[in-house]
């Protein structure tokens, strides 16, 4: 249900009339702290995005082509953060969010070829301000449904006016073909008016295998051109 601006204002006024000043101060403080934490994640995401843009530029100078097709960034919204933390039975607090959730900041890098995925991830990991926390290679070992991507949880410093903070960012690297499959599978999965049958899951899996074959054939073509 959508509520209008006016209804929203009425609700706010009613809440403020029954909540005492100390609670309002506390709510405002928490809201500012949450916004600040999200801003730190945004900074970390920008750092990682810039690093990939720099690598893309350098490859383009050296090899006369761009290994990166596009980069997408996203910050997990407050509702998804709350749902994930509650699903895991963890305390709903800022320190718990920062400590336990690895994917508040997400950077997705869409590459041209499978080889680019590995070359870019290896080059990035060699940078001395990056720490690898976790890596999942769903390209070498695809998920049961056929999903493929290279996932990394990285820690990166951000430099603020008076402090340095280490933030976590989830990086997903995949090819255009892998992204095509994952985007459509995601759309189908979140369609509210239906469930996947076994046949549909098998069909999706076959599509993932087809897209993997496409990647292999494009890689082979590129190899021939070298
Ligand atoms: P959104 O909106 O994309 O963020 P972890 O505790 O992080 O190790 P988790 O959360 O299971 O464990 O992480 P995993 O398996 O590395 O993958 C999480 C993210 O990868 C998902 O985020 C998706 O973005 C993507 N992903 C993983 N499996 C699939 C899949 O089968 N299909 C598609 N389309 N994407 C997948 P979120 O939070 O689900 O969503």
């Amino acid at each position: 249900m959508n509520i209008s601006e006016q209804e929203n204002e009425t609700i706010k006024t009613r809440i403020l009339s029954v909540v005492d000043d100390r609670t309002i101060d506390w709510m405002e403080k928490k809201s500012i702290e949450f916004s600040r934490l999200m801003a730190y994640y945004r900074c970390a995401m920008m750092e990682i995005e810039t690093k990939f843009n720099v690598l893309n530029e350098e490859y383009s100078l050296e090899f006369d082509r761009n290994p990166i097709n596009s980069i997408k960034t996203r910050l997990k919204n407050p509702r998804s953060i709350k749902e994930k933390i509650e699903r895991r039975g963890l305390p709903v607090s800022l320190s718990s969010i920062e400590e336990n959730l690895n994917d508040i900041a997400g950077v997705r890098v869409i590459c041209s070829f499978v080889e680019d995925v590995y070359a870019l991830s290896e080059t990035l990991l060699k940078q001395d301000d990056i720490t690898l926390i976790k890596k999942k290679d769903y390209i070498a070992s695809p998920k049961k449904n056929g999903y493929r991507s290279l996932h990394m949880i990285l820690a990166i410093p951000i430099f603020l006016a008076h402090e340095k903070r280490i933030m976590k960012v989830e990086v997903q690297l995949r090819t255009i073909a892998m992204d095509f499959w994952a985007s459509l599978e995601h759309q189908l999965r979140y369609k509210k008016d239906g469930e996947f049958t076994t046949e549909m899951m098998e069909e999706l899996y076959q599509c993932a295998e087809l897209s993997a074959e496409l990647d292999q054939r494009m890689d082979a073509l590129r190899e021939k051109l070298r």
Side-chain angles (χ1 to χ4, degrees):
M1 183 187 70
N2 281 333
I3 53 173
S4 68
E5 275 293 305
Q6 199 185 352
E7 283 169 323
N8 202 3
E9 277 312 306
T10 315
I11 293 169
K12 267 196 216 159
T13 316
R14 281 208 193 135
I15 291 174
L16 291 179
S17 68
V18 292
V19 175
D20 63 59
D21 283 353
R22 273 186 58 200
T23 312
I24 292 173
D25 287 348
W26 180 86
M27 281 160 67
E28 274 177 358
K29 187 168 163 261
K30 287 290 154 201
S31 156
I32 291 169
E33 283 173 6
F34 181 78
S35 303
R36 178 168 298 161
L37 181 63
M38 291 302 115
Y40 294 160
Y41 277 115
R42 253 196 308 277
C43 295
M45 230 160 50
M46 286 181 332
E47 291 278 358
I48 296 282
E49 188 180 10
T50 303
K51 281 177 180 292
F52 278 114
N53 279 327
V54 169
L55 290 177
N56 201 30
E57 201 62 38
E58 205 207 335
Y59 268 68
S60 137
L61 288 173
E62 203 167 324
F63 305 110
D64 206 20
R65 68 172 198 92
N66 294 111
I68 298 177
N69 187 266
S70 62
I71 303 179
K72 295 170 195 162
T73 58
R74 76 103 183 86
L75 205 59
K76 219 174 185 61
N77 66 46
R79 190 180 295 275
S80 307
I81 294 175
K82 182 174 170 283
E83 279 169 7
K84 189 160 188 176
I85 208 120
E86 283 179 346
R87 203 168 49 240
R88 294 190 175 178
L90 297 163
V92 186
S93 69
L94 290 185
S95 56
S96 163
I97 290 171
E98 209 175 344
E99 197 175 315
N100 297 304
L101 298 191
N102 294 329
D103 63 343
I104 306 268
V107 177
R108 187 172 289 156
V109 184
I110 318 298
C111 302
S112 308
F113 297 94
V114 180
E115 210 184 295
D116 297 329
V117 166
Y118 289 110
L120 283 167
S121 69
E122 278 158 28
T123 318
L124 184 79
L125 290 177
K126 281 190 192 136
Q127 300 189 4
D128 60 12
D129 54 348
I130 294 272
T131 308
L132 176 68
I133 297 177
K134 191 155 94 179
K135 188 167 169 178
K136 287 190 199 166
D137 189 346
Y138 292 125
I139 299 175
S141 315
K143 285 180 72 171
K144 253 182 24 206
N145 61 357
Y147 175 79
R148 285 171 171 82
S149 272
L150 181 66
H151 290 193
M152 298 190 293
I153 307 294
L154 305 177
I156 182 169
I158 55 163
F159 294 89
L160 305 162
H162 303 292
E163 63 169 327
K164 168 181 158 185
R165 284 185 70 113
I166 308 292
M167 304 302 298
K168 286 186 278 187
V169 178
E170 185 194 60
V171 176
Q172 298 181 351
L173 291 121
R174 50 171 80 146
T175 62
I176 300 168
M178 292 170 197
D179 189 55
F180 168 77
W181 183 91
S183 305
L184 298 192
E185 188 264 358
H186 186 266
Q187 275 187 36
L188 292 172
R189 195 152 36 95
Y190 285 99
K191 265 208 161 293
K192 301 237 166 22
D193 47 2
E195 289 259 315
F196 278 157
T197 60
T198 315
E199 288 77 34
M200 286 155 82
M201 274 154 67
E202 177 58 28
E203 181 68 9
L204 262 175
Y205 176 78
Q206 291 305 332
C207 291
E209 291 298 296
L210 262 180
S211 80
E213 194 193 324
L214 203 60
D215 268 334
Q216 278 167 14
R217 289 171 70 172
M218 295 309 270
D219 272 351
L221 263 178
R222 183 169 161 228
E223 199 54 48
K224 276 185 197 158
L225 279 169
R226 263 192 193 142

